[in-house]
Amino acid sequence: MATVTLSKPEVKQTECFIDGKWLPAASGKTFQTINPATEEVIAEVAEGDAEDIDLAVKSARSAFESGPWKNMDARDRGRLLYKLADRIEQDLDELAALESLDNGKPISDAKAADLPLVVDCLRYYAGYADKIHGQTVPIRGNYFCYTRKEPVGVVGQIIPWNFPMLMTAWKWGPALAAGCTIVMKPAEQTPLTCLRMAQLAKEVGFPDGVINVVPGYGPTAGGSIVKHRGIDKVAFTGEHLTAQIIMKEAADSLKRLTFELGGKSPNIVFADSDIDLAAEKAHFGLYFNQGQCCCAGSRVFVEESIREEFVEKVAKLNEHRKLGDPLDPQTDQGPQVDQNQFDKIMKYIDIGQQEGANMVTGGKRHGDKGYFVEPTLFDQVTDDMKIATDEIFGPVMSVLSFDNYQDLVERANNTFYGLAAAVWTRDIAKAHNLANELRAGTVWVNCYDVFDAAAPFGGFKMSGMGRELGEEGLKPYVETKTVTVSLG
Ligand code: NAI
Ligand code: MG
């Protein structure tokens, strides 16, 4: 089949979106966002800092406390979310191309995975807007007691670069359904689609100040969100080391915090599984999105009796994986997001070889332009190797062998992470027992990376605090108020 490369999408928004207006950074500074496939500059983007965040907070605060948002019926808030979802769906091809350009992900993935999940998430929470309500409470005495569910207030949202639009939707959906207002900082690597979403939100009628987006760097723009007294809650997705800084800096104002952090997720393949399917989905569960997934199945535990066969199958899939221009619809794998991530991954590939793991495929840079890394597969990895303990966040799979169920549970749980896990077996009792024993926020059985807006997602241990998606995902955006009325 002939390959077709789509024309480059137009970049329309590069400034701060504050109080419904597009503004340069107060300092006048800009930073560059890079096309990771070519290392060329796509655009200069406003570099927001404390002053811009302060302006955004004032706008979000006044939208929260006065104006049309405060007085809008919940059902009408929901209608706005539905309109935003419709608008994104209408522009799906263009948004997918912009995401692909800025992040490097294959356009086919952006169209088939990211964008549909964005639309679905916004619709799911649109339906919740008018279904958030309290209870009546039978307390002692002659009183009428009830609870109200009120928005937590102005929320600061800080997101990473691996799924820029999807992370925006996961953050905006519940916050807007609950009636909060938003100050968001997209990742410095990938600000473009979040800024476009802000423009679409304006066009469908979100009142000024409800959504503010300030692009910029972590310690400056991000840090200003974390420290600002006018922000009630921070929702963060990214690295656990950043979350530790945020937790310390938020202590001063006792902000509500939710974190969705990294992982080193065990993907466990038993000899009694459908080995072809397990290999195909293990390949998908690790290499999808260039391995840049918080829930990547990066520790693949394979029962020793089938290990060789399994490794061969994954190796074959790796060899057929097509690396190249992310805007080409035939491409399976694009570049890593930036030079830092590329360097980190190449360092771990070196470490894996030094540690004595058996490198079966990959190991090298692909091409000489762009941050492409070959799909890399290490076999005979042992639990204490760094490639088995550290989050690599790239296309590097580690296969570990097991032959004893009890050891397996201990080994799978022997990590400070606890985001996801998967089990491949035809034995239903074994699958459920493991689902109970694995210390992870999500367990997939005979599948991987199955996401749905209705299903809560988040981490045990150092993989996070709180949950996103589903009804659980609304809770951090809501305060409970108890009202007691004397009937005497
Ligand atoms: P990061 O955690 O530094 O960045 C995520 C977001 O936090 C970005 O918007 C960034 O600007 C912001 N940020 C950074 N420092 C901040 C601070 N002091 N205060 C407030 N906001 C701050 O992640 P980074 O450096 O992009 O990637 C490093 C590693 O983190 C990756 O190699 C990967 O292992 C992991 N990671 C995990 C993600 C996940 O989905 N769980 C997403 C991105 C990275
Ligand atoms: Mg960082």
Side-chain angles (χ1 to χ4, degrees), residues 4 27 40 44 56 92 101 107 115 185 237 282 286 401 474 477:
V4 192
S27 66
E40 286 160 9
E44 295 277 343
L92 193 139
L101 180 73
I107 183 128
L115 267 292
K185 193 201 82 64
T237 299
L286 187 283
S401 162
L474 272 173
Y477 292 98

Side-chain angles (χ1 to χ4, degrees), residues 199-218:
Q199 172 64 21
L200 298 182
K202 179 182 165 77
E203 288 173 17
V204 302
F206 277 91
D208 293 349
V210 172
I211 296 168
N212 302 274
V213 179
V214 180
Y217 290 103

Side-chain angles (χ1 to χ4, degrees), residues 128-197:
Y128 251 116
D130 60 358
K131 295 169 194 70
I132 302 168
H133 49 72
Q135 295 176 315
T136 58
V137 189
I139 65 171
R140 283 187 193 280
N142 194 16
Y143 299 99
F144 169 43
C145 179
Y146 62 95
T147 56
R148 284 169 53 79
K149 297 289 180 186
E150 298 185 2
V152 75
V154 176
V155 299
Q157 305 186 318
I158 302 172
I159 54 167
W161 42 261
N162 51 346
F163 294 92
M165 284 194 75
L166 188 58
M167 292 301 100
T168 303
W170 284 22
K171 299 282 183 283
W172 287 8
L176 296 169
C180 296
T181 59
I182 293 169
V183 177
M184 170 164 271
K185 193 201 82 64
E188 56 272 28
Q189 295 87 345
T190 55
L192 299 178
T193 46
C194 179
L195 291 169
R196 178 69 61 86
M197 276 171 78

Side-chain angles (χ1 to χ4, degrees), residues 97-118:
L98 191 61
E99 192 77 317
S100 173
L101 180 73
D102 208 11
N103 166 280
K105 68 177 66 205
I107 183 128
S108 53
D109 285 351
K111 276 191 187 174
D114 300 55
L115 267 292
L117 288 169
V118 165

Side-chain angles (χ1 to χ4, degrees), residues 391-411:
E391 183 176 52
I392 301 174
F393 228 62
V396 183
M397 182 189 286
S398 293
V399 171
L400 301 94
S401 162
F402 75 91
D403 49 23
N404 169 315
Y405 180 90
Q406 205 41 50
D407 276 3
L408 169 71
V409 172
E410 265 177 54
R411 292 171 63 199

Side-chain angles (χ1 to χ4, degrees), residues 322-464:
K322 190 167 178 291
L323 275 68
D325 180 359
L327 289 170
D328 178 343
Q330 305 300 317
T331 294
D332 299 318
Q333 184 174 318
Q336 309 309 126
V337 79
D338 67 7
Q339 182 81 51
N340 281 343
Q341 291 299 312
F342 175 86
D343 291 345
K344 173 182 168 183
I345 295 159
M346 295 313 285
K347 189 191 78 189
Y348 275 110
I349 290 175
D350 277 352
I351 291 173
Q353 289 170 282
Q354 282 161 27
E355 285 176 321
N358 175 24
M359 197 168 76
V360 181
T361 67
K364 294 194 302 294
R365 178 180 191 170
H366 168 86
D368 53 11
K369 194 177 57 154
Y371 312 115
F372 294 90
V373 179
E374 292 177 346
T376 301
L377 170 59
F378 281 108
D379 187 17
Q380 287 160 353
V381 176
T382 55
D383 297 23
D384 52 346
M385 289 181 186
K386 279 181 92 61
I387 56 168
T389 58
D390 295 9
E391 183 176 52
I392 301 174
F393 228 62
V396 183
M397 182 189 286
S398 293
V399 171
L400 301 94
S401 162
F402 75 91
D403 49 23
N404 169 315
Y405 180 90
Q406 205 41 50
D407 276 3
L408 169 71
V409 172
E410 265 177 54
R411 292 171 63 199
N413 284 334
N414 185 20
T415 165
F416 65 76
Y417 291 118
L419 192 58
V423 182
W424 295 86
T425 176
R426 289 191 169 99
D427 178 339
I428 193 162
K430 194 155 69 181
H432 280 291
N433 279 319
L434 263 173
N436 292 348
E437 291 199 79
L438 290 167
R439 301 272 299 155
T442 291
V443 180
W444 286 296
V445 177
N446 295 332
C447 57
Y448 209 95
D449 272 350
V450 176
F451 279 91
D452 190 285
F457 181 76
F460 279 33
K461 300 192 267 183
M462 284 172 73
S463 286

Side-chain angles (χ1 to χ4, degrees), residues 82-95:
Y82 280 122
K83 281 190 187 170
L84 180 59
D86 290 349
R87 186 58 209 274
I88 288 170
E89 198 169 49
Q90 200 184 312
D91 289 3
L92 193 139
D93 287 348
E94 191 193 344
L95 286 161

